[in-house]
Every structure is written in C-alpha cells, then in structure tokens.
Amino acid sequence: MISISLPQHPKPENFTDATAAVERLQLLYQQATDFLCEGFTKAMADGAPDDQRIRAFYPEIRVATSSFAQVDSRLSFGHVAAPGEYATTVTRPDLFENYLTQQIALLIRNYGQPITIGVSDTPIPVHFAVAAQPGLTIPQEGAAGFTLRDVFDVPDLATTNDDIVNGTYTPANGTGPLALFTAQRVDYSLARLAHYTATDPDHFQNHVLFTNYQFYVAEFEAYARAQLADPKSGYTSFVSTGNQEITSADAEIPETAKQPQMPTYHLKRKDGSGVTLVNIGVGPSNAKTATDHIAVLRPHAWLMVGHCAGLRNTQALGDFVLAHAYLREDHVLDDDLPVWTPIPALAEIQIALEQAVEEVTELEGYDLKRIMRTGTVATIDNRNWELRDQSGPVQRLSQSRAVALDMESATIAANGYRFRVPYGTLLCVSDKPLHGELKLPGMASDFYRTQVSRHLMIGIRAMERLRGMPLERLHSRKLRSFDETAFL
C-alpha cells in the first residue's frame, strides 16, 4: 500500500529562541492535522482512496548534550541526568504554549546550545487530529463504508502508556525521554478529560481542587461570581459543565441536560493561574481516573478538600485534618506505584494549607489545634469498612496512627507523587463511625450547611498562596527520580 503523507517533509531546524521554537512546533502540528482532516473529509465524502494510506506525524523536540557539567542543583527540572540525546513528541502546542516555551528556554539556557524542532516518526491518529474540529466526528466501526485503520492511523494503546512516569521505560535507539508523556499519551488524556468532565481541556487552570461532594460546587460558583464582580480580582470568567462560560457576576448559566461523571468547574485567569474544581465523586477509582488525565496538563498543584471519617474520640464533627502521611489501602495504584513507596508531605503545600486555615478561621498557634489535627490519613477501597470484623481494619488503623479515613486522598497524593505534581490534603470530619457518630440525614444537613463554605474557602486561599510562589520553588526535588526527564 502506498503511504500518502505531507507533500513536504521539512528538515529539522535548530533554535536558540524558545518562542520561535514553539511557533515552529505550532506550524508543524497545524500542517499535519489540517492534512489529516482534509484527507478524512474527502474519504468520508468520496470513499477511501485505492491502495493508499493517509498519514501525518507529530512534531518533536530533540536535544543532545555531551557534558556532565552540573546545572543549578536547586532546580528539580530543566536538565537531564547524563550526556546523551533526548527527544519527545508534541501535541497541541497551542494548548501547551506557555509550558513548552518555559521548558525549552530552560534547556537552552542551562546547556548553552540550540534545541532541534522537526517531524517525528510517530503518526498522529486521525481520532486525535479531528478532535478540535467541531464539524468532524469519527464514525463507529463499519459505518464509514471502509475500514478506517486501513487508510488512517488509529490510537495504539500498545505504545500509549505510563512507562516513563513509572520508571520502567527502556529508551529506543539510545534516545532518552525528554518529557514524562508522549504526544499520543497526552492526546488520549485530553480526549478522556473532555468526556469525563464535560469541559474542554483548554479551560483547566494550573491549580486544581478535588472534592468528593457536589455540595462544594454551589459554594464555588458563589465565590466565582463574587470574584467576577470585583474588577481587581484578576479572575476573568467562570466555566461550568458543557463549556458554559460567563464573564459577569449576574449572568445565567444554562443547565446541562446530562451531568458528566466528574462535573468540573473553572474560575479562570488570563495566565491560566486560576482554580479548577473537580467533583470526582466517591472512590479511589474515580480519583485515579481524574488524576491520570489531568496530569498531562502539568498543573502546578492539586489538593484534596473532601470529607472524611474522624478516627479519634478527641475530634469533633467539622474539625480539619491536614494529612502529613498516607496509609494506602485503595489498591488502584499498586501495579504502578508499589505500596512500599513512601508518599512524603511537601513543605510548601503544608505551609500554604496551614496558613489558609489560620486566615479563614482566625485561629493560630496552639489555638489552631482545637479545630485541626495533622496526621496520617488512611484511604480504603471499601465504603462499608465499618461492617468488617473490627479486629482487622480498626487494629491496622490504630497501628498506623491514622487520624482520618476516606476513599480518595491517598490515591490523589500517590498519583501526584507518581506524576511529579505537588499535592496535599485537607479534610473535614463529617462523621465518627468508631464513636457512634454516623453520617445520618439530619446531622449531615446541619454539618454541610455550616462547614462547606469555610472548607472550600481554605482550599482556594491555599491555592492563591501557591500561585504567588515561584514555580522552581513549588516543584519539589522530592518528586524527582534518579534518571529524570528535563521537562517538568
């Protein structure tokens, strides 16, 4: 079969200016996706071309260094572990423009040599090429009148994986990875995000809050409207599910006919430094799914602000728990991150959360201990763990010194560790099942009415503090392995 690709396969070019390099990536990507979209449109209208395969390829970034010279050791990114050649494929350079410009500029500055922009040998699946075209959709198998994969490249899950982030990747042809995710892995997650959250990836902000209750959404919208009413806030718009975007405080948001699995809302700033709230629902599987895909956007931080069971008699409903360690009994990440891997607390996140609690509650120092406890949070995959033989889970919880239990926090923290995204957890005690205080309807209503607003505000205040922190300080070296990628 004859392969039809772009008429001109441009030669790689060297760049010493990061902005120019990203512009070149955008041009190459646009040319490739335009070519595939045109070919797909024609094939759907006129039928598949005889004995011809239509394909285009992702652009790539490549750099080579022959020096062991050490760069600024305070940085956790922007440098490679050893001399050699490194490369990564790139998708959606328009979406990642700021990120790519920053990462490329660091490489050029740290090594004093150009980087190379060219075309890779990795084909772009037609599904991902047409994703940004509202008038184009990929038909189901058999509906096109020809076998799609005979003419176009389709997603290849055999090569779309997390080997790089998991530390199990074996470089091909001696070329090491420059980034944690390949272009196909990013494209796969961008498509999943749109499906699960009912908002486009373009709306996601650099600071992500996760919650496990829909009650927080109304408070988040109320806060967003207050910020939009203040011209000095720096926030520009609020996006609800279905990509419903408002820019004024009193604008109406049309109701979405069908709620997605993980309703997501974005309080945006022009530089992407706003706040995204994701209601992941209940359970570690949802927590893993959300973070698996949001990680490709390279957020600056994500925090869990949900409810938990208090495990100590000295705790009261409404108290806060600042996690400084995690007991992982969620099991969803066991194959990717062994349970013996410690998940460290990150000082920058911990301090921001504690300061936010002080600011919102107007308590500090020793008085703060009245309403907040720092300790181990256990995450379990059995919602009805209380019904198990108490000698099992209760004994383990006591031995671990756990102070709270939920079904998401350790998963979110562990995936933050795995994906090198700064993470933290501040939970609110909503019941004490070991001490007879169950989450009953009347009790829950009073609790939610008084606590949700304050808890959410603490999460937002913490994110606003982190927003003012230099990126090189926020991204801890604790999250980087021996043989790390240069890109954050």
Side-chain angles (χ1 to χ4, degrees):
M1 176 176 287
I2 300 173
S3 178
I4 304 176
S5 58
L6 284 171
Q8 294 181 343
H9 200 72
K11 293 181 179 179
E13 293 185 27
N14 292 333
F15 291 86
T16 55
D17 178 77
T19 301
V22 174
E23 289 175 353
R24 182 62 174 168
L25 287 169
Q26 291 175 333
L27 176 63
L28 294 176
Y29 180 78
Q30 192 65 53
Q31 289 176 339
T33 52
D34 284 349
F35 176 77
L36 284 175
C37 289
E38 290 171 7
F40 174 76
T41 301
K42 191 174 188 313
M44 292 301 297
D46 303 335
D50 295 333
D51 297 325
Q52 292 180 339
R53 187 172 189 82
I54 301 172
R55 63 186 347 184
F57 301 85
Y58 287 110
E60 73 170 6
I61 307 168
R62 187 171 292 268
V63 66
T65 176
S66 58
S67 174
F68 277 98
Q70 190 173 23
V71 299
D72 189 342
S73 61
R74 295 171 296 179
L75 286 174
S76 67
F77 57 95
H79 51 84
V80 294
E85 188 167 14
Y86 299 85
T88 185
T89 49
V90 174
T91 188
R92 291 295 307 276
D94 58 322
L95 176 60
F96 293 98
E97 180 177 1
N98 292 336
Y99 168 78
L100 291 169
T101 302
Q102 179 196 53
Q103 301 303 306
I104 291 172
L106 275 174
L107 280 180
I108 294 172
R109 185 184 73 191
N110 287 339
Y111 290 101
Q113 63 184 52
I115 55 96
T116 303
I117 304 297
V119 176
S120 73
D121 59 2
T122 302
I124 303 176
V126 68
H127 299 70
F128 300 146
V130 306
Q133 301 293 327
L136 294 180
T137 55
I138 301 296
Q140 295 181 347
E141 184 70 31
F146 61 92
T147 303
L148 192 70
R149 66 184 64 191
D150 285 345
V151 181
F152 298 95
D153 292 289
V154 298
D156 182 8
L157 292 182
T159 57
T160 305
N161 52 54
D162 283 332
D163 287 354
I164 299 175
V165 296
N166 289 346
T168 58
Y169 177 75
T170 301
N173 304 320
T175 301
L178 193 58
L180 292 169
F181 301 103
T182 63
Q184 279 205 62
R185 171 65 171 83
V186 173
D187 268 335
Y188 172 75
S189 282
L190 295 182
R192 294 289 83 201
L193 277 178
H195 171 73
Y196 285 120
T197 70
T199 57
D200 291 339
D202 310 59
H203 294 306
F204 274 80
Q205 301 295 286
N206 289 329
H207 307 91
V208 182
L209 291 174
F210 296 105
T211 187
N212 49 12
Y213 281 96
Q214 184 70 11
F215 294 94
Y216 285 77
V217 172
E219 293 296 333
F220 190 58
E221 180 182 334
Y223 177 78
R225 290 183 181 276
Q227 296 306 298
L228 293 180
D230 180 5
K232 297 181 181 179
S233 71
Y235 293 104
T236 57
S237 67
F238 175 71
V239 179
S240 181
T241 55
N243 296 310
Q244 302 290 344
E245 187 167 8
I246 63 172
T247 57
S248 61
D250 55 355
E252 292 187 9
I253 301 176
E255 290 188 12
T256 304
K258 183 179 180 182
Q259 281 292 308
Q261 183 173 341
M262 299 178 191
T264 299
Y265 308 84
H266 313 276
L267 180 54
K268 298 175 66 173
R269 291 169 67 95
K270 287 183 178 179
D271 58 357
S273 64
V275 181
T276 287
L277 176 72
V278 186
N279 178 13
I280 56 176
V282 177
S285 179
N286 280 359
K288 179 181 183 298
T289 298
T291 48
D292 276 351
H293 300 312
I294 293 174
V296 306
L297 298 174
R298 309 314 297 144
H300 294 173
W302 61 40
L303 304 177
M304 178 65 187
V305 286
H307 294 168
C308 67
L311 300 178
R312 303 303 179 97
N313 195 37
T314 53
Q315 292 171 301
L317 299 186
D319 281 359
F320 297 114
V321 175
L322 177 59
H324 76 177
Y326 300 89
L327 174 62
R328 294 172 52 198
E329 294 199 353
D330 52 329
H331 302 302
V332 295
L333 282 170
D334 290 0
D335 291 336
D336 295 300
L337 191 70
V339 292
W340 47 257
T341 304
I343 309 299
L346 305 180
E348 296 80 7
I349 303 291
Q350 301 296 97
I351 292 171
L353 280 168
E354 184 170 346
Q355 290 176 339
V357 175
E358 291 177 350
E359 178 184 347
V360 174
T361 64
E362 299 182 344
L363 296 172
E364 60 182 16
Y366 192 64
D367 287 338
L368 196 61
K369 289 181 176 288
R370 295 177 183 174
I371 63 164
M372 187 178 77
R373 185 154 186 166
T374 302
T376 297
V377 169
T379 292
I380 198 166
D381 58 357
N382 179 4
R383 177 61 186 85
N384 298 313
W385 63 274
E386 304 101 319
L387 303 181
R388 297 282 301 277
D389 177 4
Q390 295 296 293
S391 64
V394 175
Q395 181 176 338
R396 291 197 305 277
L397 291 170
S398 178
Q399 290 173 327
S400 72
R401 310 299 193 265
V403 298
L405 179 144
D406 77 348
M407 298 186 68
E408 300 86 23
S409 291
T411 310
I412 288 171
N415 243 2
Y417 179 88
R418 187 165 74 104
F419 290 127
R420 289 77 161 170
V421 175
Y423 52 84
T425 297
L426 183 75
L427 301 176
C428 195
V429 176
S430 60
D431 60 330
K432 294 170 58 182
L434 298 183
H435 307 96
E437 296 189 66
L438 303 179
K439 194 181 297 182
L440 300 175
M443 183 187 303
S445 298
D446 291 338
F447 167 76
Y448 294 139
R449 185 166 53 249
T450 58
Q451 288 300 105
V452 165
S453 178
R454 186 164 72 158
H455 189 197
L456 177 65
M457 187 55 59
I458 291 170
I460 293 173
R461 289 283 181 259
M463 286 304 199
E464 291 175 340
R465 288 179 177 275
L466 294 173
R467 183 172 66 218
M469 188 178 297
L471 198 58
E472 58 271 18
R473 180 183 168 196
L474 176 58
H475 282 266
S476 173
R477 289 175 293 178
K478 296 185 185 75
L479 303 183
R480 311 294 279 183
S481 63
F482 296 161
D483 188 13
E484 195 58 71
T485 61
F487 279 18
L488 184 64

